[in-house]
Each structure stands twice: as structure tokens, then as C-alpha cells.
Amino acid sequence: MIETNRPASVPAEDEPDLLRDQFKQLLRYRRLLGAGVGIGLLGGVYLGISTSDTYVATADIVLRAPTDDPFNPSLAPDKAINIGSERQVALSSSIANEAAKKLGVTAKDFAGLRSGLQVTNPPQTMVLRFTYTASSPKEAATRANAMTEAYLLKRQESLDVTRDKMVKGYQDQRDPVAKNLDELVRQINSMPAGTGRDAAYASKTDLQSKVNTLNGNIAKLQALDMSPGRVTSAATPPSDTDGPGLVMSLALGAAVGLALGLLAAWVRLVFDPAPRSEGDVARALRAPVLGYLPRPKTGGGPLLAAGEEDPRLAEEFRSVAFRLAYDSRFADRRRLLVVAPRGSSETAAAAAVNLAASFAETGKDVLLIEADLRTPVLASQLPTGVGRPRWSQAPGGASGDGAAHGDTDWPDGRQLVVDAGESGDFHLIPGEPVRNVARALTSPRATRLISEADSPNSTVVVLAPPVLSYADALALVDRVDGVLVVCDPRAVHRSDLSRIRELISGAGGTVLGAVLHAPLPGEKRGRGGKAKGSAPAPAPASRPSAPQAQPLTRQPNQGQGQQGQQAHRQAEPEQHIPGDGTDTVALRTVRMGRR
């Protein structure tokens, strides 16, 4: 037989599939996405309203460096002007003070005058762009032009002061030298010819050269073009308000809000301990996902899906059973343990019942064992008839070993028959509250009961309590081997699934796969809420071909002790129950209850 399920290896996915899967996972956090879009829309409304009565005027200035030859290509303006420093000067309070004097702005409105100005520098240019924002078009243009004029005036004054200081410095150096030169000329005129007069002429030549050099520097400074710059584009009153408008603001806000929502959803996805996809479940369990149960249309869904108006649930269980049947690990032993991680196990109970019905539909002799001895409910929720089990009597007609020694009260030798409608019927060993659960599950009679799968064409399905809540399932793993995990991916953590795999592997079992399902209706209102459909529905009319029989009435034995159990067994023959085990009861639709 070919093994179709390979849990140890997860098929590689293409990058587009991974991106598509991650995007689908982000859409799970609709609240975060909606909150992001809502915040973005509020921001867009604020932007649209706040910019509806603001106007912006712009003026451009090209800066010039002082030069004696403006047509000299060797002079680089960017080397002589620090554009960053000039931008800071344009934003300084001295420029604002000069503009305030011209505009007549009082000291009280001086801060508002400065706050409306922005100065920028386009890249790779010597241009300063003055942008002023005001509540009226005329005011914006007037103040922008006033700021540019104040800046040019201040820059002109700064250049003139710098030149005057340099000229004065040269003059201060020249005047003593010129005075010495005049004195030396008078001495030369009175000196006779000779060596002394020649030496005086040499000194005169040096002093004259220094005076000429200083005079040349002064003349050069006085000849400089000190223009600070020119206005290339004066500010004019704008015709439209600043900002994108209310419609565009809403669109931009929605886009930005959606981006923020996606970012928040991605962060939430990264730190979400729950499995984000079926691939995460498969990687945590190292087993494939065999099926995803559809959400039932009514209530919590029937316990046995065969014959319901919505056939999707029954078909999904048939698909899971088909995949298990073609798994060589299950086909060799034909023993299946169905468990839930923690919490409610009602969906696991429904899975066990429907898988038993699906296996019975293929012609197998199916035995469903309710190993949940803490809260057994299958016998009360399924219409059953009595059958005669083969395992209840030891060879030679003697009772089982466990019954002889009184080691346990379960299994007690009773076997019920469940009619699954068109799928056929299967046998049920109902659970029974016992004093020692561990001893009952590991008793020789329980072992012999599970070994029924060794018979030809037989299959045993065992339902156990949640594996992380009780150790009951682990006590059965070494005899059942194949484990099916039934869970809600949004209610379990990846660490829980990994722990389940480690516990089952350590006990000598194998996880055959997982069956995923949506949250139950009761769980949406909180874990303390009561799920719908906990009470059994009335049974429909039985099939004409089957005799009418009453289902077994199982009363709880808590607090009654051994005497209550014996009295219950003695009262059973008084009921109308055929003794050959061949009669069945027509299946009634039963809603799943809280376990």
C-alpha cells in the first residue's frame, strides 16, 4: 500500500504562495485594519479642515558673492557662500525684526510673523525660497516679499560693514608707512650726495612699494560689486488655498491608515502564538492537516453529520477517513485515538462518531470506545441498542480477569449499537465514571477491548479527554499508536501543538494528522457561556425495517458506590432490549453539548 501522508516533511511552497498566504493571515485582524483606516480618515478630515483657510505665497532670491569681475568663470559662488548659513540667517529674528518694522507688526504678533515663514534651498542651486503661510492671499504675498526685502537689506548691510572694516584696516597700515615716507623724502632733499644719500634712496623705494601695495588693496575693495543678490520671483497672492482639499485628504488619510493597520496587523501576526495557517499546524505537529470542518449552518452542528441538510460536514469527515485509510501507518494497525488539545472536547467527540460512521460506510466492522471516563455523554446523546460483545467473555465462558479480581468497573461488558443511517451501524463502548481512571484505562479488559482491531476488517476508534488537560490519552497511546488531533487553530498555541507531538512521541505513538474546525458558537461569547444545542432533540420515526427499541438510560453513579452500579445492571433486563444484538434504533439528530 502506498503511503500518501508524509508528516515528517512539509512540501515546499513558492514565494508567491507564501506572500498570498501571509496576506490572507493579515486579513484575519480586521479590527486592527479597521482601526487604522478610521484613524487615517480622522487625520484626513483634520488635514482637510485645517488647510481649508490657509494660503501660501513664495518668493525666490538668487544669492551673489562680492566680486570685481562678475564674468570671471574661475570664481565659484558656492565656494564663497555657505548656503546653509544663509538659510539660517534668513530665519533669524533680526530679519523678522526688520520685516516687522516695515509691516508695522507689533511685538505681540511678532511670534506669529516668524512662525509663518519657511526658507528652503533647492538642491544644486544658490537660490533661497521664501514660503509664507497666512490666512489670506494678500497677507501671505505681502509678508513673503517683506521677508525677502529684509533679508537682502540685512545682507547688503553685512557686506558693506565687512568691506568698510577691511578698508579701514588697510588704511591704518598705510598711514604710518606714508608718514615715514614723507619724512624720509625731506631728509633726502637735505642730504649731500654720497653713500648716505644712496642708502636713504633705497629705504625710500621700499616704503613707497608698501604704500602702493596697500593703496592697491584699498582700491580693489572699493571697486567690488557688493550686490547681495536679486529677486528672481516675487511673491504674488495665491488663487487657491493650501492643502490637497477635503476629498484628497480623506483619500490620503485612508491610504495612510490602511498602511498603519497593515503594519499593526503584521506586528500582531509576528507575536501571535496561535497557528497562523494550516502550514503552521502541520509544522508544529509534523503531520498533515487532514481536513478543515466547515462551520455548521445551525447551532453547534449535529453529533453525527450523516443525513443532515448541509452535507458539507459529512463529506469532510468522509474525506478525512479516506486519507486515513490510505495511510500505511493506520492501515497496519487500524487503531485511531481522537483527542483535543485542551478545553472542550465536543468537536473531538463529533469527529470520533463521524469517523466511525465513515469507516462503517466502507464495510468495516467499527468499534467506537468512549475512553473519556470523566464526563461520558455519548450513550445519552446517541440512540443505541444492545449488542453482544465478543471480548466480554474469556475463553471457556469465564469472566474477564479484571472482573474476577475487581480491579475496575469499566469496561463492564456492555456494547451498544448505533445506527448511522445510510452509512450503516457501528458498535459503541460507552464510558462510565469510575473511581480510578488510570487503572481502568490500563486494565487487561481495556487492552483486550482495543485489540479488537487485530481482527480482519475491524477498526477501533478511541475517544479520549483533552491530552493537555489529563494524562488519560497518553495511557492509551502505546496500544493505539495512531493519534488524530482535533483543534481550533485560533484557540490553541503552536507551543501546545509541539508539546502534544512530544508527549505522544515520548509515549510511543504517532500523530497521523490534525482536523481543524472553527470556534464553537458558545466560545464566541466567552468560555463561560453555554453552547447552543446541548439538549438532545426528539428522535424522528424509526425505519420500518427495524423494530422500535428504547435507548439505554444511563444514570450517573457518582456517590452511589458499587451497590448503585449493581442495582443499575440488575434493572437493565427489565427494559425492552432484544438479546441477540442485531436490532438497531433509527438515528436521531443530536446537537453537540458542552463536555
Side-chain angles (χ1 to χ4, degrees):
M1 183 177 294
I2 300 176
E3 181 180 354
T4 58
N5 299 330
R6 298 183 179 273
S9 61
V10 179
E13 299 184 22
D14 296 334
E15 184 174 357
D17 295 335
L18 293 175
L19 293 176
R20 189 181 305 109
D21 182 64
Q22 187 174 17
F23 184 75
K24 290 180 179 179
Q25 295 167 20
L26 290 178
L27 295 180
R28 290 168 46 188
Y29 305 102
R30 297 182 179 88
R31 294 184 179 179
L32 288 177
L33 296 178
V37 173
I39 293 174
L41 290 176
L42 291 177
V45 171
Y46 173 77
L47 178 63
I49 295 177
S50 62
T51 58
S52 61
D53 57 349
T54 57
Y55 296 86
V56 176
T58 303
D60 293 338
I61 297 177
V62 177
L63 301 183
R64 294 181 69 253
T67 179
D68 57 349
D69 186 2
F71 302 103
N72 185 4
S74 63
L75 181 62
D78 58 337
K79 302 297 182 182
I81 301 176
N82 189 332
I83 194 67
S85 300
E86 295 297 332
R87 178 178 172 274
Q88 295 299 322
V89 171
L91 292 170
S92 64
S93 59
S94 60
I95 303 300
N97 282 327
E98 188 67 25
K101 294 177 182 179
K102 184 176 181 180
L103 296 172
V105 177
T106 61
K108 182 177 63 175
D109 300 330
F110 179 75
L113 176 65
R114 290 192 62 186
S115 63
L117 177 64
Q118 290 183 352
V119 180
T120 57
N121 168 237
Q124 306 299 326
T125 64
M126 299 300 295
V127 175
L128 287 181
R129 179 163 295 164
F130 288 72
T131 303
Y132 200 91
T133 304
S135 58
S136 65
K138 184 177 180 180
E139 181 182 2
T142 302
R143 292 193 173 188
N145 290 327
M147 286 292 185
T148 58
E149 292 175 4
Y151 171 73
L152 290 176
L153 180 60
K154 283 294 183 180
R155 178 170 169 77
Q156 181 70 58
E157 291 178 357
S158 176
L159 294 177
D160 291 342
V161 169
T162 301
R163 182 182 63 178
D164 293 342
K165 286 184 178 180
M166 294 186 66
V167 169
K168 187 177 182 302
Y170 283 130
Q171 288 176 350
D172 292 343
Q173 296 179 35
R174 182 196 61 183
D175 290 343
V177 176
K179 184 177 180 181
N180 292 336
L181 180 58
D182 293 341
E183 184 66 27
L184 183 59
V185 170
R186 287 194 299 269
Q187 292 178 4
I188 291 174
N189 292 334
S190 61
M191 292 177 61
T195 306
R197 189 173 183 176
D198 294 339
Y201 270 115
S203 299
K204 176 187 174 183
T205 303
D206 294 338
L207 292 175
Q208 187 65 48
S209 175
K210 292 181 180 180
V211 170
N212 293 338
T213 300
L214 294 173
N215 287 332
N217 291 337
I218 293 173
K220 186 176 181 179
L221 288 174
Q222 292 176 346
L224 288 177
D225 182 5
M226 304 301 293
S227 299
R230 60 188 177 88
V231 178
T232 58
S233 176
T236 58
S239 58
D240 298 326
T241 60
D242 183 35
L246 184 59
V247 176
M248 185 61 67
S249 298
L250 289 176
L252 292 176
V256 174
L258 180 60
L260 291 177
L262 289 174
L263 178 61
W266 179 80
V267 174
R268 178 68 178 86
L269 180 65
V270 170
F271 293 99
D272 189 3
R276 297 186 292 265
S277 63
E278 295 183 6
D280 285 353
V281 176
R283 282 186 288 270
L285 291 175
R286 295 184 184 177
V289 175
L290 300 178
Y292 201 120
L293 302 182
R295 188 186 303 272
K297 293 183 178 180
T298 57
L303 189 61
L304 203 152
E308 284 296 306
E309 296 179 357
D310 185 8
R312 298 178 303 159
L313 193 59
E315 291 300 327
E316 188 66 26
F317 280 119
R318 290 189 182 98
S319 176
V320 173
F322 180 82
R323 296 189 66 179
L324 286 172
Y326 278 84
D327 191 331
S328 62
R329 295 165 298 174
F330 175 74
D332 293 341
R333 303 266 297 178
R334 300 187 304 281
R335 301 171 183 177
L336 180 65
L337 180 64
V338 181
V339 294
R342 62 171 79 246
S344 173
S345 61
E346 55 186 291
T347 307
V353 171
N354 284 277
L355 288 177
S358 299
F359 287 132
E361 188 175 2
T362 62
K364 294 184 179 298
D365 185 10
V366 182
L367 177 64
L368 174 60
I369 303 174
E370 186 181 16
D372 187 352
L373 307 183
R374 303 178 188 274
T375 56
V377 296
L378 292 186
S380 61
Q381 291 188 355
L382 290 175
T384 56
V386 173
R388 185 180 302 278
R390 293 173 295 174
W391 59 272
S392 61
Q393 298 291 334
S399 301
D401 298 336
H405 295 83
D407 292 336
T408 181
D409 299 326
W410 182 90
D412 55 5
R414 286 176 295 175
Q415 181 168 311
L416 309 180
V417 178
V418 178
D419 184 2
E422 296 180 356
S423 299
D425 54 48
F426 59 90
H427 300 276
L428 170 66
I429 304 297
E432 184 75 23
V434 297
R435 290 170 295 180
N436 193 320
V437 176
R439 181 177 299 177
L441 293 177
T442 57
S443 65
R445 284 190 294 174
T447 302
R448 187 164 60 251
L449 176 63
I450 297 175
S451 64
E452 286 288 301
D454 296 336
S455 302
N457 201 35
S458 297
T459 300
V460 172
V461 180
V462 183
L463 173 64
V467 66
L468 295 181
S469 300
Y470 306 99
D472 301 357
L474 300 179
L476 300 169
V477 165
D478 58 340
R479 282 164 288 176
V480 178
D481 292 344
V483 180
L484 179 67
V485 180
V486 181
C487 65
D488 174 13
R490 301 188 182 184
V492 69
H493 293 176
R494 293 190 296 272
S495 58
D496 294 340
L497 297 177
S498 300
R499 185 184 175 195
I500 290 174
R501 173 180 53 81
E502 293 172 357
L503 291 175
I504 292 175
S505 300
T510 303
V511 179
L512 298 179
V515 173
L516 308 182
H517 63 88
L520 298 177
E523 294 179 349
K524 293 181 179 179
R525 301 188 299 268
R527 296 191 178 275
K530 183 178 179 181
K532 296 181 180 179
S534 59
S542 60
R543 295 184 302 177
S545 60
Q548 182 70 23
Q550 298 295 331
L552 289 179
T553 303
R554 306 181 63 84
Q555 301 293 337
N557 295 331
Q558 291 85 347
Q560 297 179 1
Q562 187 70 20
Q563 296 178 358
Q565 295 178 5
Q566 293 177 357
H568 171 68
R569 291 168 185 153
Q570 293 175 359
E572 287 176 356
E574 299 177 0
Q575 300 175 0
H576 179 67
I577 302 175
D580 57 356
T582 58
D583 297 332
T584 59
V585 175
L587 178 64
R588 60 179 176 178
T589 301
V590 182
R591 304 294 178 184
M592 292 189 297
R594 177 69 62 179
R595 293 175 64 86

